Amino acid sequence: MKRSFNAQSWTVWLVSAAILTLLTRNPLYLIIILLAARIVQNSCGEEERTVKISFWRLSAMIFLFSVLFNLLLVHVGQTVLLRLPQNMWLVGGPITLEAAVYGAISALILITLLAVFLAYNSVVSTSDLIALAPRALSNVGIVVLIAVSYVPETLNHLERVREAQA
């Protein structure tokens, strides 16, 4: 079923949710925005337009990478979990709980932004988004439309090839 949504309204929603996400480091607020974005995607979005990569699997990878990155490279905090030898370049020094918490909150911000943009992408079609651009930027809009729609279309074609080979 093809739904018709106002692209301008959804763009305001996107900008508002992204700004709120970037302005806070409170995990409760971030989780509320994350859940709202997932509800929007599941209730208003078109299923066939979503990418076939699991959101939660990608979120787990982002979370693990962010926490490990901060644990190994940020040596700030008072709660020392363990110490790596100082002669290890860049990673040597104390591994702190505060660095892990900072990495977890940073990952939650990235995951929330990802959820907001995925919800927006599932609700607003690319052609409606390009139609929002001023006429003076129509040539740039066409280039952006091609660039934005190239990756999902390529993934859809790869999925069809895999199904045909199976």
Side-chain angles (χ1 to χ4, degrees):
M1 173 174 78
K2 176 66 179 161
R3 297 180 184 171
S4 177
F5 291 111
N6 186 346
Q8 291 174 333
S9 301
W10 282 106
T11 303
V12 169
W13 177 85
L14 169 75
V15 170
S16 303
I19 287 173
L20 287 173
T21 300
L22 292 172
L23 286 179
T24 187
R25 295 199 68 81
N26 187 332
L28 178 62
Y29 295 154
L30 292 171
I31 290 171
I32 290 171
I33 296 169
L34 172 67
L35 292 176
R38 296 301 293 167
I39 290 170
V40 164
Q41 182 177 3
N42 289 333
S43 62
C44 298
E46 295 180 15
E47 185 64 32
E48 66 270 4
R49 292 184 58 211
T50 59
V51 181
K52 302 295 184 205
I53 301 170
S54 169
F55 171 77
W56 298 111
R57 180 177 289 172
L58 183 60
S59 298
M61 290 188 314
I62 291 170
F63 187 82
L64 286 173
F65 178 77
S66 179
V67 170
L68 287 174
F69 184 82
N70 276 285
L71 275 174
L72 292 175
L73 297 178
V74 177
H75 305 293
V76 177
Q78 296 178 353
T79 312
V80 177
L81 301 174
L82 64 113
R83 290 189 183 275
L84 294 176
Q86 288 290 341
N87 60 358
M88 294 178 73
W89 183 71
L90 236 105
V91 296
I95 304 293
T96 63
L97 180 63
E98 288 83 359
V101 170
Y102 185 81
I105 291 174
S106 297
L108 188 56
I109 290 172
L110 290 174
I111 292 166
T112 304
L113 283 173
L114 176 67
V116 166
F117 277 93
L118 283 175
Y120 180 76
N121 187 38
S122 70
V123 172
V124 178
S125 70
T126 337
S127 57
D128 290 342
L129 183 60
I130 297 303
L132 291 177
R135 291 182 188 227
L137 299 175
S138 63
N139 290 337
V140 175
I142 291 172
V143 171
V144 169
L145 174 64
I146 292 170
V148 167
S149 60
Y150 177 74
V151 173
E153 284 300 316
T154 302
L155 292 175
N156 287 338
H157 288 301
L158 286 173
E159 186 67 29
R160 287 187 206 138
V161 168
R162 277 190 227 145
E163 289 174 1
Q165 288 176 345

